[in-house]
Amino acid sequence: MTKISEEQKLAVLVGPTASGKTEVSLQVAQLLNAEIISADSMQVYCGLDIGTAKVTPAQRGGTPHHLMDICEPGEDFSVADFRLMAAAAIHSIGERKHLPLLVGGTGLYVASLLNPYLFPLKTQKDDNFRANMRQLALEKGDLYLHRRLAKVDQAAAQRIHPSDHYRVVRALEVYEKTGFCISEIQNQSKMDFKPAYHVAIAGLTLRRELLYARIDSRVDKMIEAGFIDEVKNLLFSQIPAHSTALRGLGYRHLITYLKGLSTLDEALTALKRDTRRYAKRQYTWFKRDTRIQWFNVEEYFTDEKQLIAEELAREIAAYFKHKLEL
């Protein structure tokens, strides 16, 4: 991994989907001469534009954006990949004497950069994955699973005997869920870490009913912008059905409609419901981080409930300046 100076300054803007992160981040970046690093697990994929609310080149206004459109929809991209590439981007932005501004709602991606030890092993249990591994062992034998482990975590494979089914599956499960080797996680947990960055984190919060209204409105606007055609194009490109890109919010919902498994109204109702649930999970994740300075988006609404991004951005930029001593 690129070596990062402990004095490297990093601004972070987080919040749930549809809270206004994109509009505000563009304004903050202009005010602070910053370059934006996307912390969105779906915006890394080329062709997933409308459904991920990806900011267009025209909307960026000349502000450099990183970690968007960096892999094809059929490719795998893990949190480990993100951490490596984001660290490199932070380093290069710092070399240009610009401020790196990390923006996104994928909590695991954000945490991978800010927290030294991210993945308590007790949180990674996946009964479906374990059942699939048991079936593979029955069909192909324990040695097959052990060889699979050796491909992703040689250190663990050397330590765990092929007949120790539970520990082999556990190591595979951790890699599948986090993108990190279990041996790496165990080694990290024993080390004395110092923070890699001088960090300031701003978070956007919004009353639930207002956020849900914004979510519903955004889904409707996505459909008007051609989201259905975007999903059709992905299906026509013969991307494997199990690909992460096709399992994302909106994409899996419209696929059920396009395959005749639901009506459009049913698909959109499910999408709005699941997006609201996702936003709730995002809040739960970020609320645990006591470093976040929260900004109530509602205070920057017009009477028509439109966000005045410029005013909110000025407040957040002032906070970053103070916290990071810019």
Side-chain angles (χ1 to χ4, degrees):
M1 182 184 293
T2 304
K3 186 176 180 180
I4 304 296
S5 166
E6 290 183 5
E7 296 303 315
Q8 172 64 60
K9 297 177 180 180
L10 174 64
V12 183
L13 179 63
V14 299
T17 186
S19 61
K21 292 187 302 293
T22 298
E23 306 125 278
V24 173
S25 67
L26 290 169
Q27 299 286 338
V28 171
Q30 291 291 331
L31 292 168
L32 298 180
N33 194 27
E35 299 185 27
I36 292 174
I37 302 169
S38 170
D40 186 300
S41 62
M42 300 304 289
Q43 291 188 355
V44 299
Y45 294 108
C46 299
L48 275 67
D49 301 327
I50 298 172
T52 64
K54 191 180 296 176
V55 61
T56 67
Q59 291 170 333
R60 296 173 195 178
T63 297
H65 280 62
H66 304 267
L67 271 65
M68 286 184 177
D69 299 323
I70 56 175
C71 58
E72 295 302 320
E75 296 176 347
D76 291 328
F77 189 85
S78 71
V79 65
D81 297 322
F82 171 81
R83 186 170 72 166
L84 183 66
M85 298 180 73
I90 290 169
H91 178 70
S92 65
I93 293 168
E95 289 285 294
R96 290 190 290 276
K97 308 300 182 184
H98 292 173
L99 177 68
L101 173 58
L102 184 70
V103 180
T106 303
L108 189 60
Y109 278 18
V110 175
S112 73
L113 285 171
L114 305 187
N115 301 337
Y117 177 51
L118 302 174
F119 308 110
L121 300 185
K122 64 182 181 180
T123 66
Q124 303 302 326
K125 184 178 179 182
D126 185 330
D127 290 334
N128 289 333
F129 180 84
R130 294 182 180 197
N132 290 336
M133 292 301 100
R134 283 196 298 271
Q135 186 62 35
L136 273 178
L138 288 173
E139 295 174 358
K140 300 186 177 183
D142 286 333
L143 189 58
Y144 171 82
L145 294 186
H146 193 265
R147 288 170 178 165
R148 181 167 169 171
L149 174 61
K151 291 180 181 179
V152 299
D153 190 347
Q154 186 65 43
Q158 290 175 351
R159 189 177 67 251
I160 303 172
H161 193 276
S163 63
D164 191 342
H165 175 84
Y166 174 82
R167 293 179 67 205
V168 169
V169 171
R170 183 71 181 126
L172 286 169
E173 181 183 35
V174 168
Y175 183 81
E176 173 73 15
K177 296 292 288 182
T178 71
F180 287 92
C181 300
I182 194 170
S183 56
E184 178 185 2
I185 294 173
Q186 290 169 337
N187 289 337
Q188 284 184 355
S189 68
K190 300 172 185 177
M191 296 174 64
D192 181 20
F193 277 87
K194 295 180 180 178
Y197 309 108
H198 181 188
V199 177
I201 315 174
L204 302 185
T205 186
L206 186 60
R207 197 153 36 102
R208 181 175 298 180
E209 56 266 33
L210 293 177
L211 178 64
Y212 288 178
R214 285 172 64 87
I215 287 172
D216 292 350
S217 175
R218 188 163 79 166
V219 169
D220 293 338
K221 290 177 181 177
M222 286 177 175
I223 297 300
E224 294 172 4
F227 189 18
I228 294 174
D229 287 335
E230 180 172 282
V231 179
K232 283 181 181 177
N233 290 335
L234 289 171
L235 289 176
F236 290 153
S237 64
Q238 301 299 307
I239 298 170
H242 64 272
S243 298
T244 300
L246 297 186
R247 299 201 306 267
L249 271 175
Y251 295 90
R252 66 175 183 269
H253 297 83
L254 288 186
I255 286 171
T256 63
Y257 160 65
L258 291 171
K259 290 186 174 181
L261 302 176
S262 74
T263 66
L264 180 57
D265 284 344
E266 289 170 340
L268 296 183
T269 297
L271 171 55
K272 292 174 181 179
R273 178 201 65 209
D274 291 346
T275 306
R276 292 193 292 268
R277 291 174 177 173
Y278 175 59
K280 185 177 180 180
R281 292 196 300 272
Q282 287 176 300
Y283 264 136
T284 300
W285 178 287
F286 289 123
K287 287 289 187 181
R288 296 179 298 188
D289 194 331
T290 58
R291 296 169 296 181
I292 298 176
Q293 176 67 45
W294 291 98
F295 292 81
N296 186 352
V297 177
E298 188 177 355
E299 295 177 5
Y300 302 89
F301 276 173
T302 66
D303 291 340
E304 290 76 29
K305 303 301 182 185
Q306 298 299 311
L307 173 61
I308 308 174
E310 298 89 344
E311 291 186 8
L312 178 52
R314 282 196 292 270
E315 294 290 332
I316 292 175
Y319 166 71
F320 284 149
K321 284 181 179 180
H322 171 72
K323 193 74 173 179
L324 297 174
E325 301 176 346
L326 299 175

